């Protein structure tokens, strides 16, 4: 019981930190131009980036979770509802996708195609959104919220945010043309290569989700 109380406090602290870091990092876009080239954004245009959307989604999940953390601190034995367990898992996976796609796909592609160094993807607030908040979210879910593990059949909801964003990206970049191809997934008009990028992203999403679910189960056995 004492360990559960401790983990609830640690979950609360991590969720508050995540929420604060996300608000701070996203606010950059509202008082200055942030990024460069195709990645330049100001104000609400930043929400065309999956990085921003995934972090905001996870911040919303953290904000809701904070309520349950606080209620438990008052001594009430309240269980996390299934919808919130799944939402937190899915939201955490979206920032995990951000982390792994940047590290494993965009960094190599950026270097090969444009000669960008690894540091380009981790400048200023991007270091928070691409690395710090995703790692924090993954560790929080696995270590301090592992008791909220659910039936694996619900893990497939993890594909929903990636699929929705992918459809919007396709429409705005290829069909309507109102966005530049800032992720380079059209390969400068060589659309026959685009399915490779799509498969890679969905592969990363699946891998990240499986890793998260495994670590959550491992921590549940070892820590509780």
């Amino acid at each position: 019981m004492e360990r559960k109380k401790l983990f609830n406090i640690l979950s609360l602290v991590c969720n508050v930190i995540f929420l604060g870091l996300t608000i701070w990092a996203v606010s950059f876009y509202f008082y200055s131009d942030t990024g460069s080239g195709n990645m330049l954004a100001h104000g609400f245009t930043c929400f065309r980036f999956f990085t921003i959307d995934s972090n905001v989604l996870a911040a919303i999940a953290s904000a809701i979770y904070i309520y349950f953390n606080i209620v438990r601190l008052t001594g009430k034995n309240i269980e996390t509802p299934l919808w919130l367990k799944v939402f937190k898992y899915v939201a955490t996976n979206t920032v995990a996708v951000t982390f792994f796609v940047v590290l494993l796909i965009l960094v190599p592609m950026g270097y090969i195609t444009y000669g960008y160094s690894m540091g380009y993807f981790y400048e200023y607030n991007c270091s928070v959104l691409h690395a710090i908040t995703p790692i924090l979210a993954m560790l929080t879910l696995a270590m301090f919220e592992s008791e909220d593990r659910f039936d694996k059949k619900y893990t497939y909801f993890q594909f929903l945010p990636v699929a929705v964003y992918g459809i919007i990206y396709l429409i705005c970049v290829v069909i309507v043309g109102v966005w530049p191809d800032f992720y380079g997934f059209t390969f400068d008009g060589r659309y026959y290569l685009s399915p490779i990028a799509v498969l890679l992203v969905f592969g990363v999403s699946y891998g990240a989700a499986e890793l998260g679910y495994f670590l959550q189960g491992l921590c549940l056995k070892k820590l509780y």
Side-chain angles (χ1 to χ4, degrees):
M1 183 62 69
E2 290 302 317
R3 185 172 292 186
K4 286 181 66 174
K5 289 181 179 178
L6 173 61
F7 285 172
N8 180 61
I9 293 171
L10 291 173
S11 169
L12 171 62
V13 170
C14 289
N15 281 312
V16 169
I17 292 173
F18 184 95
L19 184 61
L21 284 174
T22 301
I23 292 172
W24 174 79
V26 173
S27 70
F28 264 64
Y29 293 96
F30 289 88
Y31 58 79
S32 65
D33 291 339
T34 304
S36 60
N38 285 342
M39 305 299 287
L40 183 67
H42 182 79
F44 287 100
T45 59
C46 71
F47 290 103
R48 63 188 180 179
F49 300 138
F50 185 82
T51 293
I52 304 298
D53 299 336
S54 63
N55 274 273
V56 169
L57 185 68
I60 293 171
S62 291
I64 300 172
Y65 214 93
I66 287 169
Y67 166 77
F68 285 86
N69 291 137
I70 294 173
V71 170
R72 291 189 188 104
L73 283 179
T74 65
K76 292 182 180 179
N77 187 20
I78 182 173
E79 184 177 345
T80 307
L82 177 60
W83 67 265
L84 182 55
K85 293 178 183 180
V86 176
F87 181 40
K88 188 69 155 49
Y89 172 84
V90 170
T92 300
N93 192 64
T94 60
V95 289
V97 169
T98 291
F99 174 77
F100 288 114
V101 165
V102 170
L103 183 64
L104 302 178
I105 300 177
L106 295 185
V107 168
M109 279 179 57
Y111 178 76
I112 293 170
T113 308
Y114 303 107
Y116 293 153
S117 67
M118 186 175 183
Y120 172 81
F121 295 92
Y122 297 99
E123 290 179 333
Y124 309 114
N125 60 332
C126 286
S127 63
V128 173
L129 299 169
H130 286 164
I132 297 174
T133 50
I135 292 172
L136 177 62
M138 288 185 283
L139 290 177
T140 302
L141 184 70
M143 296 183 66
F144 308 134
E145 297 164 4
S146 57
E147 203 175 35
D148 285 341
R149 201 167 187 250
F150 48 79
D151 193 290
K152 193 172 182 179
K153 66 183 179 181
Y154 297 108
T155 62
Y156 296 104
F157 282 105
Q158 42 115 347
F159 289 118
L160 190 58
V162 176
V164 170
Y165 182 84
I167 292 170
I168 294 172
Y169 191 81
L170 173 67
I171 293 171
C172 292
V173 172
V174 178
I175 299 175
V176 182
V178 293
W179 289 357
D181 181 24
F182 37 81
Y183 291 133
F185 287 165
T186 64
F187 297 92
D188 293 326
R190 289 171 289 179
Y191 298 115
Y192 59 89
L193 294 175
S194 297
I196 298 174
V198 173
L199 289 174
L200 283 173
V201 170
F202 273 94
V204 168
S205 178
Y206 178 76
E210 288 294 302
L211 176 63
Y213 193 77
F214 168 77
L215 291 176
Q216 200 178 30
L218 183 65
C219 290
L220 182 61
K221 292 179 182 178
K222 300 294 184 180
L223 299 178
Y224 281 82

